[in-house]
């Protein structure tokens, strides 16, 4: 698919900057022919990735940036969100669907990403920090959110 | 996020509108909920019809409101869930925790 859909953004670690990314992201998703429901779910998954990067990765330090890259690889939309933090082990996050955790007030961000994207992967970015990669097949109609996630890579 | 508080008989209705997302004013929502509880309200309905988006942080605020209300002996119910909010409550399994009604009238009359 054409390069014009790609973008790279670097934002300061403020929650209000999430809205800036959303404007650009929504525009691209529309151009890719994604239906509105899927656009909304991808939007939400990216919000969660950005919120985690700002809050946990960069500890809301406005001097630290969050990098967002959108790319198309084969028939997949690929969005990478990278922070400048100390790294993160997703396995240490408790299962938000375990009965004892259902009423917790936090810890659902990764669940949302898994549910609304086809695949997610946590790793280290080139400069350290955490990079989460979100993948979604691009097509006229994709399966969200009622189909189970296909798991992490 | 915008909200409005009104009364329907002895039931307090909190209308939520817009995005319930991180950085959108969740502190204001928490304070408003606190004010409602401090006023002595024992029956509260959150009308979600105007909610355009809710993220995990917003869900956390709803859970917090529910827990705080329950701990203070106040019954909290949700009404008019947009389909995506309903989907999210299903995914998080919170649909089994919250008392959810299709519309405000049903939620209000359920207290009787």
């Amino acid at each position: 698919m054409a390069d014009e859909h790609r973008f790279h953004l670097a934002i300061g670690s403020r929650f209000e900057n999430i809205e800036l990314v959303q404007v650009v992201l929504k525009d691209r998703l529309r151009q890719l022919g994604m239906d509105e429901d899927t656009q909304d779910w991808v939007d939400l998954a990216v919000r969660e990735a950005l919120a985690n990067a700002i809050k946990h990765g960069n500890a809301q330090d406005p001097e630290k940036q969050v990098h967002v890259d959108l790319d198309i690889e084969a028939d997949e939309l690929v969005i990478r969100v990278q922070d400048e933090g100390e790294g993160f082990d997703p396995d240490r996050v408790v299962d938000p669907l375990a009965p004892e955790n259902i009423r917790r007030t936090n810890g659902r961000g990764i669940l949302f990403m898994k549910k609304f994207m086809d695949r997610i992967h946590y790793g280290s970015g080139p400069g350290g920090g955490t990079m989460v990669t979100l993948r979604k097949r691009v097509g006229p109609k994709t399966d969200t959110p009622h189909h189970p996630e296909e798991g992490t890579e | 996020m915008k909200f409005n508080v009104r009364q329907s008989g002895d039931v307090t209705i909190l209308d939520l509108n817009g995005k319930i997302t991180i950085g959108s004013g969740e502190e204001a929502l928490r304070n408003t909920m606190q004010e409602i509880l401090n006023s002595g309200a024992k029956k509260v309905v959150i009308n979600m019809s105007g909610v355009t988006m809710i993220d995990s942080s917003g869900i956390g605020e709803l859970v917090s409101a529910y827990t705080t209300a329950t701990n203070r002996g106040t019954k909290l119910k949700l009404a008019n869930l947009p389909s995506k909010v309903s989907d999210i409550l299903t995914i998080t399994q919170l649909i089994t925790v919250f008392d959810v009604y299709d519309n405000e009238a049903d939620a209000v009359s359920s207290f009787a």
Side-chain angles (χ1 to χ4, degrees):
Chain A
M1 239 175 261
D3 286 351
E4 70 257 25
H5 295 302
R6 292 179 180 167
F7 71 73
H8 170 86
L9 292 173
I11 59 170
S13 298
R14 298 179 188 278
F15 293 128
E16 54 265 38
N17 288 337
I18 292 175
E19 302 303 326
L20 301 177
V21 177
Q22 296 302 320
V23 171
V24 181
L25 175 67
K26 278 279 195 155
D27 187 51
R28 290 298 195 281
L29 299 183
R30 211 174 296 121
Q31 288 173 14
L32 288 166
M34 193 173 273
D35 66 85
E36 283 196 16
D37 274 354
T38 309
Q39 285 180 34
D40 287 344
W41 295 123
V42 170
D43 177 306
L44 190 49
V46 174
R47 276 179 180 275
E48 299 294 342
L50 292 169
N52 279 351
I54 292 169
K55 187 176 181 179
H56 302 298
N58 290 349
Q60 293 181 254
D61 178 350
E63 298 300 313
K64 290 185 176 178
Q65 292 194 310
V66 175
H67 299 266
V68 187
D69 288 275
L70 181 144
D71 214 338
I72 304 293
E73 296 176 1
D75 63 348
E76 278 187 322
L77 168 71
V78 183
I79 299 163
R80 295 181 174 88
V81 176
Q82 186 187 339
D83 62 47
E84 297 177 350
E86 302 299 318
F88 167 71
D89 179 3
D91 292 335
R92 294 181 64 182
V93 176
V94 300
D95 175 7
L97 299 181
E100 67 272 21
N101 296 329
I102 293 286
R103 295 178 188 223
R104 284 175 63 110
T105 57
N106 57 12
R108 297 183 178 87
I110 294 176
L111 170 70
F112 280 22
M113 286 185 252
K114 286 181 178 175
K115 284 288 183 189
F116 303 143
M117 303 300 285
D118 294 334
R119 286 181 292 158
I120 76 164
H121 172 74
Y122 266 93
S124 296
T130 298
M131 182 165 72
V132 60
T133 304
L134 311 172
R135 293 176 182 271
K136 185 87 176 167
R137 197 179 71 78
V138 179
K141 183 72 181 175
T142 46
D143 301 333
T144 40
H146 299 291
H147 290 238
E149 77 275 18
E150 295 171 12
T152 53
E153 288 176 342
Chain B
M1 178 193 336
K2 291 178 181 171
F3 40 81
N4 176 54
V5 182
R6 56 195 165 89
Q7 288 293 130
S8 175
D10 62 347
V11 179
T12 303
I13 316 274
L14 172 60
D15 298 306
L16 289 187
N17 293 292
K19 295 176 179 177
I20 316 295
T21 54
I22 196 161
S24 69
E26 58 266 49
E27 196 174 322
L29 172 60
R30 211 172 307 152
N31 292 341
T32 300
M33 200 63 216
Q34 205 64 46
E35 285 172 19
I36 289 172
L37 295 174
N38 288 345
S39 75
K42 291 297 173 192
K43 302 171 182 175
V44 177
V45 172
I46 299 182
N47 171 26
M48 307 280 288
S49 64
V51 175
T52 54
M53 175 178 283
I54 189 163
D55 65 2
S56 66
S57 177
I59 290 293
E61 287 301 323
L62 281 187
V63 173
S64 175
Y66 179 83
T67 304
T68 306
T70 303
N71 288 344
R72 294 180 61 165
T74 295
K75 287 185 177 168
L76 177 69
K77 310 196 179 204
L78 304 183
N80 291 323
L81 299 190
S83 65
K84 286 194 173 67
V85 175
S86 181
D87 284 343
I88 287 171
L89 288 186
T90 301
I91 287 165
T92 55
Q93 298 181 10
L94 286 165
I95 201 86
T96 61
V97 173
F98 289 111
D99 209 0
V100 177
Y101 292 84
D102 287 345
N103 58 64
E104 186 180 311
D106 285 355
V108 169
S109 61
S110 72
F111 288 108

